[in-house]
Amino acid sequence: METLKTFFEFAEVCERIEKESSSLVITDMVADFLKELEEEELRICPYLLMGKIFPEWMDRELGVGKSLLYNALSRASGRNETELEELLRETGDIGKVAEVAMHRRTQQTLFLGGEEKLTIVEIYKTLEKIAEASGKGSQTTKVRYLEYLFSSSSPKEARYLARLVMGEMRIKVGEGIMRDAIAKAFGKTPEEVERAYMFITDFGEVAIATKKGELDKIGITLFRPVKMMLAQISPDLEEAMKEMGTCAVEWKYDGARVQIHVGNEGVKVFSRRFEDLTKPLVDVVEEIKEVVGVEKAILDGEAVAYDKSGKPKAFQYILRRLRRKYGIEEKKEEIPIHIFLFDCLYVDGESLIDKPLKERRSKLERIVRGGKRISVATQTITGEVSVAEKVYRDALDAGHEGIMLKNLSSPYIPGRRGKHWLKHKPIMETLDLVVVGADWGKGKHAHLLSSFYLACIDENTGELLEVGKVATGPTEDELKELTNILSELIIEQKGTYVKLEPKIVFEVAYEEIQKSPNYPSGYALRFPRFVRVRDDKSPEEADNLSRIEELYRKYQ
Ligand code: AMP
């Protein structure tokens, strides 16, 4: 007879893992635990250990926020919500809050009679019911179920239950450890487990198949999203072309990635993070059925939203359309979407994943007729830098991000950011900014100024307004030199911070300019990187606020 593990046993394993710092030891602990599980436990425990309740592909949420949790916990423990909030402020750990709250309660129940321990599977089934509750009265239903779970928990169980519910497990079991642990538990290599995972993105199912020796039966499956292949960045086009040789050059469309599954049951569209986009894209979905000339297919592409002038709209507009669950009819008029298909992973029962891009592409061209809202992405096959450059300029002129260079003989490698696909896009125009402060480094860098506060000039008042802080870019030698120059300019020191006379100008690169209430300029640089000192520029010649505003608008 099968004996199912209690949630208490699960909590004990979590506690042991939490105390351990070595990833190898943690992997062993997880592997040992997985080995002891029955199939129905093996389906769910990998996710619970990773602090998740449902696998990514399910696009399913528990729908429990902090106030709902407090409500349930307060009913189960007799502590009021203010006390719980206070406890959270003290400990910073929702698990600890639940543990302490339930401690008092458990001592009472001990007098009233024993405790019955729930199994992991029982807890999971209740969590599923919590997720299912929706609509009117669902909040009360969720609270009741959660109250029941806490009332049946010992303090230790409550700790991990609360963390699980809030998605804050804190036991350092991530995808890498889970992959290795499954491999170790059932005698397979991490690569074999990884490959199967990329196809069905469900560690529960992968663990069961590994245990049964059926890992090689796992392949691409219709209506189960496959992890998407990604690209590496290549700042230098000439170098990229040299590395690739003759390759496929495509526009890097400025939109959102979509994976489209077509089958007898209908059509389903997934985002890169496996959100189900079928409903928000209902108009495009209708066309898919018409333009795809086979019964079953999995297609990869980019959804682009256009404005009235025919330029692609910024990414956040597409998201707005895609995330909107209501008013789809109006949105589709307001934001028309076009899908450009660039890959094909599966056709009529046959997986094309291991076939070279060239073959996948010709299959794609054969099965898809262009439609009003769907077309096959234009592809240019070339080994010439000048040809790739022309495609690049056209893509930018059309308002897209840049280009993709793809190795024609490479397979589709799910979830991999490898060298078979390279992306090339413009580096943002750099900014010249005045250094107004710095922080001394830590540890072996304590004698070096290591991060630098940067400011632009407000051309109206002449004031220097901070726009960010740069800490990456300079080499150790450059840091020494910068420290020598800047130490001469220290006006004031507070702890590790020094205020500097504004004399030096840095050229900095960045990924994006964002609006920010945290800096006096009202803007902040995302991922700023030191390029060089502009010896040739005085602070008065540094970039001003108008230029930052202009760049912000340009790259919006
Ligand atoms: P990044 O998000 O910068 O790593 O760039 C990769 C993303 O570019 C993909 O996930 C797609 O969403 C997008 N993309 C746009 N056009 C293409 C294309 N022709 N081939 C592949 N990816 C593309």
PDB file of all heavy atoms in Angstrom, residues 37-52:
ATOM      1  N   LEU A  37       9.278   9.372  -3.145  1.00  0.00           N
ATOM      2  CA  LEU A  37       7.900   9.803  -3.398  1.00  0.00           C
ATOM      3  C   LEU A  37       7.111   8.857  -4.309  1.00  0.00           C
ATOM      4  O   LEU A  37       7.671   8.219  -5.191  1.00  0.00           O
ATOM      5  CB  LEU A  37       7.904  11.198  -4.039  1.00  0.00           C
ATOM      6  CG  LEU A  37       8.535  12.315  -3.213  1.00  0.00           C
ATOM      7  CD1 LEU A  37       8.535  13.617  -4.021  1.00  0.00           C
ATOM      8  CD2 LEU A  37       7.784  12.522  -1.896  1.00  0.00           C
ATOM      9  N   GLU A  38       5.812   8.811  -4.069  1.00  0.00           N
ATOM     10  CA  GLU A  38       4.899   8.092  -4.961  1.00  0.00           C
ATOM     11  C   GLU A  38       4.629   8.994  -6.169  1.00  0.00           C
ATOM     12  O   GLU A  38       4.860  10.204  -6.109  1.00  0.00           O
ATOM     13  CB  GLU A  38       3.558   7.832  -4.241  1.00  0.00           C
ATOM     14  CG  GLU A  38       3.657   7.008  -2.988  1.00  0.00           C
ATOM     15  CD  GLU A  38       4.072   5.566  -3.256  1.00  0.00           C
ATOM     16  OE1 GLU A  38       3.887   5.100  -4.392  1.00  0.00           O
ATOM     17  OE2 GLU A  38       4.585   4.920  -2.318  1.00  0.00           O
ATOM     18  N   GLU A  39       4.061   8.422  -7.226  1.00  0.00           N
ATOM     19  CA  GLU A  39       3.878   9.189  -8.458  1.00  0.00           C
ATOM     20  C   GLU A  39       3.074  10.478  -8.266  1.00  0.00           C
ATOM     21  O   GLU A  39       3.450  11.535  -8.757  1.00  0.00           O
ATOM     22  CB  GLU A  39       3.213   8.301  -9.513  1.00  0.00           C
ATOM     23  CG  GLU A  39       3.192   8.973 -10.859  1.00  0.00           C
ATOM     24  CD  GLU A  39       2.795   8.034 -11.989  1.00  0.00           C
ATOM     25  OE1 GLU A  39       3.194   6.856 -11.957  1.00  0.00           O
ATOM     26  OE2 GLU A  39       2.086   8.495 -12.887  1.00  0.00           O
ATOM     27  N   GLU A  40       1.964  10.376  -7.495  1.00  0.00           N
ATOM     28  CA  GLU A  40       1.148  11.595  -7.371  1.00  0.00           C
ATOM     29  C   GLU A  40       1.858  12.693  -6.571  1.00  0.00           C
ATOM     30  O   GLU A  40       1.561  13.876  -6.723  1.00  0.00           O
ATOM     31  CB  GLU A  40      -0.247  11.305  -6.806  1.00  0.00           C
ATOM     32  CG  GLU A  40      -0.278  10.676  -5.451  1.00  0.00           C
ATOM     33  CD  GLU A  40      -1.712  10.372  -5.006  1.00  0.00           C
ATOM     34  OE1 GLU A  40      -2.593  11.247  -5.127  1.00  0.00           O
ATOM     35  OE2 GLU A  40      -1.939   9.255  -4.522  1.00  0.00           O
ATOM     36  N   GLU A  41       2.818  12.257  -5.735  1.00  0.00           N
ATOM     37  CA  GLU A  41       3.602  13.272  -5.006  1.00  0.00           C
ATOM     38  C   GLU A  41       4.707  13.838  -5.900  1.00  0.00           C
ATOM     39  O   GLU A  41       5.024  15.025  -5.847  1.00  0.00           O
ATOM     40  CB  GLU A  41       4.234  12.630  -3.766  1.00  0.00           C
ATOM     41  CG  GLU A  41       3.220  12.140  -2.764  1.00  0.00           C
ATOM     42  CD  GLU A  41       3.865  11.263  -1.690  1.00  0.00           C
ATOM     43  OE1 GLU A  41       4.675  10.386  -2.027  1.00  0.00           O
ATOM     44  OE2 GLU A  41       3.563  11.479  -0.514  1.00  0.00           O
ATOM     45  N   LEU A  42       5.245  12.950  -6.716  1.00  0.00           N
ATOM     46  CA  LEU A  42       6.340  13.361  -7.596  1.00  0.00           C
ATOM     47  C   LEU A  42       5.855  14.394  -8.618  1.00  0.00           C
ATOM     48  O   LEU A  42       6.611  15.229  -9.086  1.00  0.00           O
ATOM     49  CB  LEU A  42       6.881  12.109  -8.311  1.00  0.00           C
ATOM     50  CG  LEU A  42       8.308  12.148  -8.840  1.00  0.00           C
ATOM     51  CD1 LEU A  42       9.286  12.683  -7.815  1.00  0.00           C
ATOM     52  CD2 LEU A  42       8.741  10.767  -9.318  1.00  0.00           C
ATOM     53  N   ARG A  43       4.594  14.329  -8.943  1.00  0.00           N
ATOM     54  CA  ARG A  43       4.030  15.292  -9.893  1.00  0.00           C
ATOM     55  C   ARG A  43       4.057  16.712  -9.314  1.00  0.00           C
ATOM     56  O   ARG A  43       4.241  17.683 -10.036  1.00  0.00           O
ATOM     57  CB  ARG A  43       2.580  14.895 -10.214  1.00  0.00           C
ATOM     58  CG  ARG A  43       1.912  15.741 -11.280  1.00  0.00           C
ATOM     59  CD  ARG A  43       0.532  15.218 -11.614  1.00  0.00           C
ATOM     60  NE  ARG A  43       0.545  13.833 -12.044  1.00  0.00           N
ATOM     61  CZ  ARG A  43       0.925  13.428 -13.248  1.00  0.00           C
ATOM     62  NH1 ARG A  43       1.324  14.308 -14.131  1.00  0.00           N
ATOM     63  NH2 ARG A  43       0.920  12.153 -13.561  1.00  0.00           N
ATOM     64  N   ILE A  44       3.891  16.829  -7.991  1.00  0.00           N
ATOM     65  CA  ILE A  44       3.746  18.177  -7.410  1.00  0.00           C
ATOM     66  C   ILE A  44       4.952  18.657  -6.602  1.00  0.00           C
ATOM     67  O   ILE A  44       5.214  19.842  -6.528  1.00  0.00           O
ATOM     68  CB  ILE A  44       2.468  18.265  -6.528  1.00  0.00           C
ATOM     69  CG1 ILE A  44       2.483  17.183  -5.446  1.00  0.00           C
ATOM     70  CG2 ILE A  44       1.222  18.165  -7.367  1.00  0.00           C
ATOM     71  CD1 ILE A  44       1.247  17.182  -4.548  1.00  0.00           C
ATOM     72  N   CYS A  45       5.699  17.701  -6.004  1.00  0.00           N
ATOM     73  CA  CYS A  45       6.752  18.131  -5.069  1.00  0.00           C
ATOM     74  C   CYS A  45       7.885  18.943  -5.701  1.00  0.00           C
ATOM     75  O   CYS A  45       8.400  19.857  -5.061  1.00  0.00           O
ATOM     76  CB  CYS A  45       7.305  16.938  -4.302  1.00  0.00           C
ATOM     77  SG  CYS A  45       6.166  16.501  -2.982  1.00  0.00           S
ATOM     78  N   PRO A  46       8.316  18.643  -6.943  1.00  0.00           N
ATOM     79  CA  PRO A  46       9.386  19.484  -7.479  1.00  0.00           C
ATOM     80  C   PRO A  46       9.010  20.959  -7.436  1.00  0.00           C
ATOM     81  O   PRO A  46       9.818  21.811  -7.074  1.00  0.00           O
ATOM     82  CB  PRO A  46       9.535  18.980  -8.916  1.00  0.00           C
ATOM     83  CG  PRO A  46       9.118  17.553  -8.851  1.00  0.00           C
ATOM     84  CD  PRO A  46       8.004  17.519  -7.842  1.00  0.00           C
ATOM     85  N   TYR A  47       7.752  21.274  -7.777  1.00  0.00           N
ATOM     86  CA  TYR A  47       7.352  22.677  -7.759  1.00  0.00           C
ATOM     87  C   TYR A  47       7.259  23.233  -6.350  1.00  0.00           C
ATOM     88  O   TYR A  47       7.696  24.350  -6.082  1.00  0.00           O
ATOM     89  CB  TYR A  47       6.049  22.886  -8.544  1.00  0.00           C
ATOM     90  CG  TYR A  47       6.409  22.908  -9.990  1.00  0.00           C
ATOM     91  CD1 TYR A  47       6.288  21.780 -10.775  1.00  0.00           C
ATOM     92  CD2 TYR A  47       7.013  24.034 -10.528  1.00  0.00           C
ATOM     93  CE1 TYR A  47       6.734  21.783 -12.086  1.00  0.00           C
ATOM     94  CE2 TYR A  47       7.466  24.048 -11.828  1.00  0.00           C
ATOM     95  CZ  TYR A  47       7.325  22.918 -12.603  1.00  0.00           C
ATOM     96  OH  TYR A  47       7.791  22.935 -13.880  1.00  0.00           O
ATOM     97  N   LEU A  48       6.702  22.435  -5.439  1.00  0.00           N
ATOM     98  CA  LEU A  48       6.585  22.929  -4.065  1.00  0.00           C
ATOM     99  C   LEU A  48       7.975  23.242  -3.513  1.00  0.00           C
ATOM    100  O   LEU A  48       8.189  24.261  -2.861  1.00  0.00           O
ATOM    101  CB  LEU A  48       5.877  21.901  -3.187  1.00  0.00           C
ATOM    102  CG  LEU A  48       4.439  21.550  -3.602  1.00  0.00           C
ATOM    103  CD1 LEU A  48       3.823  20.573  -2.614  1.00  0.00           C
ATOM    104  CD2 LEU A  48       3.563  22.801  -3.694  1.00  0.00           C
ATOM    105  N   LEU A  49       8.937  22.390  -3.805  1.00  0.00           N
ATOM    106  CA  LEU A  49      10.307  22.633  -3.314  1.00  0.00           C
ATOM    107  C   LEU A  49      10.889  23.911  -3.925  1.00  0.00           C
ATOM    108  O   LEU A  49      11.704  24.591  -3.319  1.00  0.00           O
ATOM    109  CB  LEU A  49      11.214  21.448  -3.645  1.00  0.00           C
ATOM    110  CG  LEU A  49      11.018  20.220  -2.770  1.00  0.00           C
ATOM    111  CD1 LEU A  49      11.676  19.006  -3.402  1.00  0.00           C
ATOM    112  CD2 LEU A  49      11.592  20.448  -1.366  1.00  0.00           C
ATOM    113  N   MET A  50      10.459  24.204  -5.147  1.00  0.00           N
ATOM    114  CA  MET A  50      10.960  25.417  -5.801  1.00  0.00           C
ATOM    115  C   MET A  50      10.152  26.643  -5.391  1.00  0.00           C
ATOM    116  O   MET A  50      10.360  27.744  -5.906  1.00  0.00           O
ATOM    117  CB  MET A  50      10.907  25.250  -7.322  1.00  0.00           C
ATOM    118  CG  MET A  50      11.942  24.260  -7.819  1.00  0.00           C
ATOM    119  SD  MET A  50      11.589  23.724  -9.509  1.00  0.00           S
ATOM    120  CE  MET A  50      11.939  25.211 -10.398  1.00  0.00           C
ATOM    121  N   GLY A  51       9.199  26.431  -4.484  1.00  0.00           N
ATOM    122  CA  GLY A  51       8.419  27.561  -3.984  1.00  0.00           C
ATOM    123  C   GLY A  51       7.297  27.959  -4.910  1.00  0.00           C
ATOM    124  O   GLY A  51       6.763  29.056  -4.830  1.00  0.00           O
ATOM    125  N   LYS A  52       6.939  27.048  -5.821  1.00  0.00           N
ATOM    126  CA  LYS A  52       5.836  27.355  -6.743  1.00  0.00           C
ATOM    127  C   LYS A  52       4.745  26.334  -6.543  1.00  0.00           C
ATOM    128  O   LYS A  52       4.993  25.228  -6.075  1.00  0.00           O
ATOM    129  CB  LYS A  52       6.321  27.265  -8.188  1.00  0.00           C
ATOM    130  CG  LYS A  52       7.337  28.320  -8.513  1.00  0.00           C
ATOM    131  CD  LYS A  52       7.770  28.190  -9.927  1.00  0.00           C
ATOM    132  CE  LYS A  52       8.889  29.165 -10.201  1.00  0.00           C
ATOM    133  NZ  LYS A  52       9.568  28.898 -11.436  1.00  0.00           N
TER     134      LYS A  52
END
